[in-house]
Amino acid sequence: MTGKTAPPATHPAPADPKKEPSPEKEPAPAPAAEEPPSPEHPPAADQPSAPTDEATPVPTAEGTPTPEEGPPAPPAEPQAPAPEPEKPKAEPPSSPLSLAVEEVSENSVTLTWKTPEQTGREGLDGYVVEICKDGSTDWTAVNQEPFLSTRYVIQDLSSGDKIHVRVKAVSANGASVPAALEQPVTIREILQLPKIRMPRHLRETYFRRVGDAVNIMIPFQGKPQPEVTWTKGGQPLDTSRVSIRTTGKDTIFFIRTAQRSDSGRYELAVRINGAEDKAILDIQVIEPPGPPQNLKLVDVWAFNVALEWTPPADNGNSEIKGYIVQKSDKKSGKWFTALERCTRTSCTISDLIMGNSYSFRVFSENACGLSERAAVTSEVAHIKKTKTSYQAEKIPQQDMMEPPKFTQPLTDRTTTRGYSTHLFCSVRGFPQPKIIWMKNQMEIREDPKYIAMTEQGICSLEIRKPNPFDGGIYTCKAVNPLGEASVDCRLDVKVPQ
């Protein structure tokens, strides 16, 4: 199609051979850019511009541009809308966790599992349980509609069948990768679920020394006879190192001579038709550690020595609990423990003797015991003598002189004839006072009837088997150079009727 539209004609004019223009003199078609082609009638390369037998509507004068006016301006294109941000691609949920068999009967299997880690924004619609007979690849959904419980009982199974089981989590974004049981489930009644009865002392790390035997018995239960498997790090045990003997009630784990390479986490699994119980046995084979390294005598001052060292290169496959530091006097040559269970790699030894020379050594200690060898200082610590002068402290003298003073007086007493009695009082004074006993103001001298004693300021007078004549006023007098003091009491002697 050219830029100028030819008028329609009913019949084409006959060609005049005399007036037929040559191809070179035909007018050149207007460029296509002047007028965009009509989308309804696209121009063909081999289609002539001459009119055809078909009737063509005649455009009006307003719709047909003249050569002088030029082609009409193209219509303005609509502005493209701004691109919308891409929405994050929705992902299906992750697989259910910890799929396990809870119970097996003659015609059913009870399954349990945990919610997936990722459920998506929409949340879960539920779970779909599928089964497949052993030896087949056809999986069949057990439930028609998803359900939200994490426990399901598969019913109407045939006794003796072996089936594979898997569970999918379903949401609006699709289904997850299925979680499947590792082993097929045999449909038969479990009279007693498998249960490992791990001894209490094996629930923590079990320590043995290098060269010792490891002989462990772990009981279990389950009916019918369960299948027992041992693994280490997910791999079967090395039968050249470990011997396993299993009976209907227990399994025995035996290593004749333990080596450090036998340390690790051993997993025990007891299975019955897909139901299982697991336990972990953590064994650590240890030996004494190596000696500390780089022991140095850092400083010596007065009666003290500072030491430093670094941990041993080999800890004996056990954590270092501490270090023991010993000292040796060059005069005696004997070793004495100066510090026990030092948890740091440095210490200060005090209370050394002036004029002596000392060597030091350090042992490392772990759960197996002390290192066989010790690190010894290459240098000797010399404790030098220092001249010191001692001056006694001057204490002011105090006047301790005191006249006699009775702190406890005599008390009146009544006694019976023939029964000995005692009189007591207490006195203080410095210098120590002299004690004088008197009866009715007469001094009692050497008389076997009276026994007078003074001890630690306590004065006593014993009157042996008194009679009525011995009654009266008794006086105790205390005399020293600073003065005197006295106390009195009355003694009555009754005659029994």
Side-chain angles (χ1 to χ4, degrees):
M1 181 179 294
T2 61
K4 186 175 180 181
T5 305
T10 309
H11 300 284
D16 189 355
K18 296 181 180 180
K19 295 182 179 182
E20 185 177 358
S22 62
E24 290 81 1
K25 293 183 180 181
E26 286 183 4
E34 293 180 2
E35 181 178 344
S38 174
E40 290 82 1
H41 302 282
D46 55 348
Q47 183 178 355
S49 60
T52 62
D53 294 340
E54 297 180 359
T56 304
V58 180
T60 62
E62 295 177 358
T64 305
T66 62
E68 292 79 11
E69 293 176 356
E77 296 182 358
Q79 187 177 1
E84 297 181 1
E86 294 184 2
K87 296 182 179 179
K89 185 179 180 180
E91 295 183 356
S94 59
S95 302
L97 303 175
S98 305
L99 176 62
V101 176
E102 182 181 89
E103 186 178 357
V104 178
S105 67
E106 294 181 349
N107 54 10
S108 67
V109 175
T110 303
L111 304 174
T112 60
W113 60 89
K114 294 182 180 179
T115 306
E117 293 182 354
Q118 299 178 2
T119 58
R121 295 182 179 179
E122 306 295 335
L124 291 179
D125 292 341
Y127 303 95
V128 175
V129 180
E130 297 179 340
I131 61 173
C132 173
K133 289 189 176 181
D134 191 27
S136 175
T137 58
D138 297 331
W139 289 92
T140 304
V142 179
N143 55 310
Q144 299 298 329
E145 297 293 335
F147 60 91
L148 290 174
S149 174
T150 57
R151 184 177 183 273
Y152 189 78
V153 180
I154 305 175
Q155 303 282 358
D156 302 329
L157 299 175
S158 299
S159 180
D161 286 349
K162 284 188 177 182
I163 61 170
H164 295 268
V165 182
R166 68 185 186 184
V167 179
K168 295 180 181 178
V170 180
S171 70
N173 300 324
S176 69
V177 175
L181 294 176
E182 296 179 359
Q183 301 292 333
V185 182
T186 303
I187 308 305
R188 60 176 177 175
E189 186 176 5
I190 299 178
L191 301 178
Q192 187 178 37
L193 289 175
K195 178 68 176 178
I196 299 174
R197 300 194 174 278
M198 181 68 75
R200 185 180 299 274
H201 70 281
L202 297 179
R203 297 175 188 174
E204 300 179 353
T205 302
Y206 183 68
F207 291 94
R208 299 299 292 171
R209 294 176 65 112
V210 171
D212 290 351
V214 179
N215 191 3
I216 297 172
M217 183 182 69
I218 301 177
F220 59 83
Q221 65 184 26
K223 290 182 181 180
Q225 178 65 39
E227 176 189 359
V228 179
T229 58
W230 283 90
T231 57
K232 180 182 180 183
Q235 301 296 325
L237 300 184
D238 182 3
T239 55
S240 63
R241 298 290 312 152
V242 183
S243 298
I244 301 295
R245 190 183 69 185
T246 301
T247 65
K249 296 182 179 180
D250 54 46
T251 178
I252 297 176
F253 181 99
F254 180 73
I255 300 176
R256 185 176 300 276
T257 305
Q259 301 297 328
R260 288 172 62 168
S261 59
D262 296 323
S263 301
R265 292 170 63 87
Y266 295 83
E267 185 178 77
L268 170 63
V270 179
R271 299 186 182 92
I272 303 178
N273 301 337
E276 70 174 12
D277 190 21
K278 292 183 178 181
I280 299 296
L281 175 62
D282 191 0
I283 297 178
Q284 190 168 350
V285 183
I286 62 176
E287 60 184 341
Q293 296 181 314
N294 305 320
L295 178 60
K296 297 179 182 178
L297 183 63
V298 179
D299 194 9
V300 179
W301 74 100
F303 310 101
N304 310 300
V305 169
L307 302 173
E308 285 185 357
W309 62 89
T310 57
D314 181 12
N315 64 357
N317 200 29
S318 178
E319 181 183 1
I320 298 296
K321 292 185 176 181
Y323 302 91
I324 292 182
V325 183
Q326 295 183 341
K327 63 181 179 180
S328 174
D329 186 350
K330 289 298 180 181
K331 292 183 179 179
S332 64
K334 297 181 179 180
W335 291 97
F336 299 93
T337 299
L339 193 62
E340 289 184 336
R341 288 290 178 89
C342 176
T343 57
R344 298 178 298 174
T345 56
S346 62
C347 69
T348 299
I349 306 300
S350 304
D351 300 330
L352 301 177
I353 300 174
M354 287 191 306
N356 289 358
S357 298
Y358 292 90
S359 293
F360 299 90
R361 67 182 184 184
V362 181
F363 292 89
S364 53
E365 183 179 9
N366 65 2
C368 194
L370 296 178
S371 57
E372 296 179 356
R373 295 180 294 108
V376 183
T377 54
S378 57
E379 301 177 0
V380 176
H382 301 283
I383 308 301
K384 297 181 180 179
K385 289 184 178 181
T386 57
K387 295 182 179 180
T388 57
S389 58
Y390 175 76
Q391 187 174 2
E393 182 181 359
K394 294 182 179 180
I395 302 175
Q397 295 184 355
Q398 296 183 358
D399 186 7
M400 305 296 293
M401 305 296 285
E402 182 182 9
K405 181 180 180 181
F406 282 93
T407 58
Q408 183 67 33
L410 294 172
T411 57
D412 295 342
R413 295 184 64 84
T414 299
T415 185
T416 303
R417 184 180 65 179
Y419 291 90
S420 299
T421 187
H422 290 78
L423 303 178
F424 293 98
C425 62
S426 60
V427 66
R428 73 180 185 186
F430 189 82
Q432 182 177 353
K434 178 182 177 182
I435 304 300
I436 301 173
W437 287 93
M438 295 183 294
K439 174 189 175 185
N440 297 329
Q441 301 300 320
M442 297 293 294
E443 181 177 354
I444 298 175
R445 298 185 180 276
E446 295 181 0
D447 188 339
K449 193 175 189 67
Y450 301 97
I451 300 176
M453 296 183 63
T454 303
E455 185 176 358
Q456 300 293 327
I458 304 298
C459 307
S460 65
L461 177 67
E462 180 183 359
I463 304 172
R464 303 177 64 186
K465 296 181 179 181
N467 53 46
F469 177 77
D470 294 322
I473 303 299
Y474 284 83
T475 303
C476 180
K477 181 187 289 186
V479 181
N480 73 357
L482 298 181
E484 63 179 36
S486 62
V487 288
D488 299 329
C489 72
R490 172 179 291 279
L491 175 66
D492 293 328
V493 180
K494 293 184 178 181
V495 178
Q497 299 296 328

